[in-house]
Amino acid sequence: IRTCIVIPAAGSGTRLGAGIPKAFAELAGTTLLEHCVRGAHASGVADHIVVAVPEAFLASARDTLGTAAEVVAGGADRVASVRAALAAAQRSDPGIEAVLVHDAARCLTPPEVFTRVTDALGAGAQAVVPVLPVTDTIKRVETLRSPCAAAGDERVIGDIDREQLRRVQTPQGFAVEVLEEAHALQARDPITATDDAMLAERLGHEVRAVAGDERALKITHPLDMRIAELLLEDATA
Ligand code: C5P
């Protein structure tokens, strides 16, 4: 099936503290965005790749990526960046049947994850997410409001069975009309959404889960960058 990979890479990266938008921070001398586009290409599943970057980085992204990807300006939040990239992808290739949405921050995602997602789409799934089990015990908390509590103090109010929980990664795969419909509803009636599957679930679409991979970690905090450096050393050793 004709597939496009859309890469939102327009976040500020405040939590990483690199002083530059996260996708343009360097891992072993190469930007996360370049690592990500390389990995997306290497997966061999994409006919077209579109990345959404901050307006001020359009020129530098086009310069470094060349013909490897189409580069567009992102939006104020992740959903807006995905919407902008999806619109560009459909303008460039109206024949697209499936779209993989992949965070630039998951730049070391192995090719097998892309393949598992596209295989599920090929087998008829309308929406697919890669997932991993949860290893920590998960509890619900609330802010403590007693006279002796310090600001930010919390107390535990319940437990969640971790056997039923999964950590969700990208690339997330969608039949193109499902992603379009999901983003059209989000534009009319926005909800807080940290991934695209949430928008498809809201429409009642079944979302299939396939195995993710620890190497597809989302580089968010400085420690993640250190882990990514080690993973890259392993990969090139
Ligand atoms: O903020 P978070 O880490 O969840 O962002 C996930 C991905 O969405 C990152 O690759 C980031 O660059 C992207 N993003 C974007 N446009 C925004 C905010 C985030 O493309 N306005």
Side-chain angles (χ1 to χ4, degrees), residues 7-12 15 22-23 52 74-78 81-82 102-106 194 218-220:
I7 303 177
S12 61
R15 290 166 295 181
K22 180 161 68 179
D77 57 23
R78 185 185 179 284
S81 296
V82 172
H102 185 41
D103 288 340
R106 298 189 188 273
T194 49
K218 184 161 106 179
I219 298 177
T220 307

Side-chain angles (χ1 to χ4, degrees), residues 15-17 22 218-226:
R15 290 166 295 181
L16 190 61
K22 180 161 68 179
K218 184 161 106 179
I219 298 177
T220 307
H221 298 110
L223 176 64
D224 303 320
M225 196 62 114
R226 299 294 303 278

